[in-house]
Amino acid sequence: MQNKYVFITGATSGIGKASAEIFHKNGYNLVLTGRRKERLIELKEKLKTNNNSSVEILEFDVRSYDETEKAIKLLSIDIKKNISILINNAGLAVGKGPIDTGLLDDWNRMIDTNIKGVLHVSKELLPFMKENRSGHIINLGSIAGKEVYPGGNVYCATKHAVDALSKAMRIDLLPYFIKVTNIAPGAVETEFSEVRFKGDKDLASKTYEGFSPLMAEDIAESIYFAASRPAHVTINDLTIMPTAQGSSQNLFKQ
Ligand code: NDP
Ligand code: 8X3
């Protein structure tokens, strides 16, 4: 993809990492971001051996606007001008329980990462897309942004916010020909549940027992599909579920 760059937040794991791999395979240059620098370096090394596309890495926390701004300033103007796709993927759930037992710190982590993170990164990159009068923002929503389920409260609220922001961005950015796609997956087996259950690997693996969950690559392929439509076509929204999952609460386990 010559000089085109894809900027991916949360590329150190799961859906973000799988997206980095598929875009790289298809010749795109990448800007990969996340907090775990050693994983970014490892992924860059792995991808470097495959083809000649460029891979830049930026270590920052999307919760902090200052960190986001400083990190993106490190990119050359030439790269920033050539970012044609932004994948706002960094996100997490922390805890799962009734609202009255929720912890303030968990709520802040989810709200600051899932909502403010999308805003912080988009704010920094939008001026370049506007100038180009083209671009594509792909936000990772969730089935939790379409429905709510017991114990999902604040996580569901943040993903409903992402859903709303995707719709709002699409309208506001119409004059600049910038596409906005909301991706809403059901259960995907990544590090998501390990993070949600605060490192409890047993509880995390139970989430995916008895059915075939989506894999990160399934979502990365859908993201790539949305990103590779012709200029006049926008995929607004994709809800992607494991075949065994009818809704957030309806899982057919065997
Ligand atoms: P993972 O836990 O495997 O990956 C999450 C990524 O987000 C990591 O790369 C992590 O990087 C990054 N991240 C988290 N917090 C921050 C932060 N404060 N600053 C920068 N990066 C951060 O989960 P998934 O791949 O499953 O999740 C990706 C997205 O998909 C999320 O938005 C999630 O809500 C959404 N989603 C996931 C589903 C699932 O079932 N797995 C279903 C529906 C949506 P690092 O820790 O290095 O910073
Ligand atoms: C992750 C999917 O159903 O655990 O967004 O909320 S779910």
Side-chain angles (χ1 to χ4, degrees):
M1 274 303 136
Q2 297 122 6
N3 49 358
K4 294 289 177 208
Y5 277 81
V6 185
F7 189 108
I8 305 175
T9 67
T12 57
S13 167
I15 297 167
K17 186 174 179 213
S19 300
E21 285 168 346
I22 197 168
F23 278 95
H24 182 75
K25 200 172 81 187
N26 284 282
Y28 280 86
N29 300 310
L30 304 172
V31 181
L32 305 179
T33 80
R35 293 166 300 177
R36 287 171 287 182
K37 193 177 182 183
E38 65 294 348
R39 288 202 184 192
L40 292 172
I41 294 170
E42 205 179 296
L43 182 56
K44 178 177 173 161
E45 286 302 309
K46 182 183 165 201
L47 295 176
K48 222 171 59 180
T49 54
N50 294 342
N51 65 34
N52 289 328
S53 306
S54 149
V55 180
E56 305 289 329
I57 55 174
L58 294 178
E59 173 204 4
F60 67 94
D61 188 326
V62 297
R63 288 176 292 181
S64 157
Y65 178 66
D66 284 353
E67 268 193 41
T68 305
E69 191 188 25
K70 273 192 198 126
I72 292 176
K73 275 215 170 87
L74 296 174
L75 293 174
S76 71
I77 288 287
D78 196 45
I79 291 179
K80 282 188 276 207
K81 279 185 177 166
N82 280 298
I83 294 171
S84 56
I85 302 167
L86 161 61
I87 306 179
N88 278 316
N89 163 76
L92 78 186
V94 199
K96 188 177 182 186
I99 191 83
D100 50 299
T101 63
L103 302 177
L104 205 61
D105 185 53
D106 294 351
W107 293 348
N108 285 331
R109 281 177 67 192
M110 289 186 276
I111 292 166
D112 292 351
T113 310
N114 300 355
I115 307 176
K116 291 189 196 167
V118 168
L119 294 171
H120 292 161
V121 179
S122 303
K123 184 169 174 59
E124 287 309 291
L125 296 181
L126 268 172
F128 300 95
M129 290 188 177
K130 277 174 68 180
E131 184 71 26
N132 289 339
R133 299 179 76 74
S134 74
H136 194 165
I137 297 180
I138 300 176
N139 294 327
L140 261 294
S142 169
I143 189 64
K146 310 277 183 193
E147 304 170 9
V148 291
Y149 54 85
N153 44 68
V154 176
Y155 178 67
C156 294
T158 65
K159 290 299 180 180
H160 274 69
V162 172
D163 198 271
L165 279 173
S166 295
K167 288 177 185 146
M169 283 176 163
R170 193 176 305 120
I171 295 167
D172 291 350
L173 299 173
L174 271 183
Y176 309 104
F177 307 98
I178 297 171
K179 302 182 185 191
V180 181
T181 298
N182 189 70
I183 302 281
V188 191
E189 187 167 8
T190 59
E191 291 176 12
F192 177 84
S193 290
E194 218 178 298
V195 172
R196 171 170 244 176
F197 298 121
K198 303 180 180 177
D200 186 331
K201 287 191 195 285
D202 283 346
L203 203 50
S205 66
K206 278 200 179 76
T207 311
Y208 308 109
E209 269 173 13
F211 76 108
S212 294
L214 294 165
M215 303 309 285
E217 292 71 22
D218 298 318
I219 303 306
E221 279 173 13
S222 299
I223 291 172
Y224 186 76
F225 174 79
S228 54
R229 294 310 86 211
H232 68 288
V233 179
T234 297
I235 308 273
N236 282 357
D237 198 289
L238 281 176
T239 300
I240 309 154
M241 303 295 279
T243 304
Q245 189 178 17
S247 72
S248 15
Q249 286 190 76
N250 285 280
L251 255 175
F252 186 71
K253 291 203 177 198
Q254 283 179 308

